[in-house]
Amino acid sequence: MQKSIITTLIATAIFSATPSFAAEQTNMMIMDAWVRAAPPSAKVQAAFFTVMNHSNQTIVLTDVEAQGFGRSELHLSAKKDGMMTMQKQQKVTIPANTIFQFKPGSYHVMLLEPNKIAAPGELVNVSFTLLNGEKISAQMPVKRDNSKNKMDHSEMDHSDIEHN
Ligand SMILES: [Cu+2]
């Protein structure tokens, strides 16, 4: 993994006309990550976490994949006409020197096509691809949602909404 990152950075430095990311490895941390527990029959799970961008440059997440899931997507939830909806994002931009939250009702990672729904206590390895080609991954523990309005949100986010 380490080697492939270095190779990517070198390749970027040589071939990119605008090597703005090539000078240093992306200084990004993923904190407080968790995957929301779901019934074994669920079709999707959502992952939440905090991204700390410790650099003076924008970080752009362009893709995400998770072990044990056929497909994963960057999503944004929003309230529209009193209904919670969510949309796939082609990218998520983390401004320089910012703490950016993926949280219920907002940005999240949608884990689709589970081999089997991840149970509380298990870890899901989630890996992000950045615009500069770098990959950053995190182990995200599965936890039950303790928020007050979990019923509303978990049901709406995961059962009533179509994913395409
Ligand atoms: Cu979603």
Side-chain angles (χ1 to χ4, degrees):
M1 176 55 85
Q2 197 61 26
K3 198 177 176 191
S4 77
I5 289 173
I6 291 165
T7 309
T8 305
L9 287 174
I10 291 168
T12 307
I14 294 171
F15 296 115
S16 173
T18 54
S20 52
F21 286 100
E24 54 178 302
Q25 192 170 318
T26 302
N27 194 351
M28 163 180 154
M29 277 174 71
I30 296 175
M31 313 274 296
D32 301 327
W34 61 291
V35 171
R36 183 158 52 199
S41 60
K43 299 278 191 288
V44 299
Q45 278 178 286
F48 308 103
F49 47 91
T50 300
V51 179
M52 297 176 78
N53 181 354
H54 289 301
S55 73
N56 292 319
Q57 289 172 328
T58 296
I59 293 175
V60 183
L61 308 180
T62 58
D63 202 6
V64 58
E65 50 193 334
Q67 240 164 45
F69 293 82
R71 194 158 56 91
S72 301
E73 295 177 351
L74 300 163
H75 274 201
L76 175 59
S77 294
K79 212 167 202 171
K80 218 185 234 175
D81 304 326
M83 296 265 294
M84 288 301 285
T85 63
M86 61 169 114
Q87 275 192 317
K88 183 181 174 181
Q89 307 291 300
Q90 295 305 324
K91 59 183 173 126
V92 175
T93 300
I94 319 286
N97 298 303
T98 300
I99 296 172
F100 190 101
Q101 280 193 303
F102 283 67
K103 58 186 181 187
S106 179
Y107 287 98
H108 57 279
V109 167
M110 206 86 237
L111 309 169
L112 303 136
E113 299 168 12
N115 297 344
K116 99 178 169 38
I117 287 293
E122 290 180 2
L123 291 172
V124 179
N125 188 287
V126 180
S127 176
F128 299 90
T129 304
L130 312 189
L131 187 60
N132 66 357
E134 217 175 297
K135 291 214 178 204
I136 290 179
S137 55
Q139 299 280 352
M140 304 196 175
V142 181
K143 294 181 181 176
R144 293 200 169 80
D145 192 345
N146 294 320
S147 63
K148 286 174 200 147
N149 46 11
K150 64 179 173 183
M151 279 310 173
D152 302 342
H153 286 252
S154 61
E155 290 311 310
M156 284 200 164
D157 280 359
H158 299 114
S159 306
D160 300 345
I161 291 167
E162 285 288 315
H163 288 83
N164 14 293

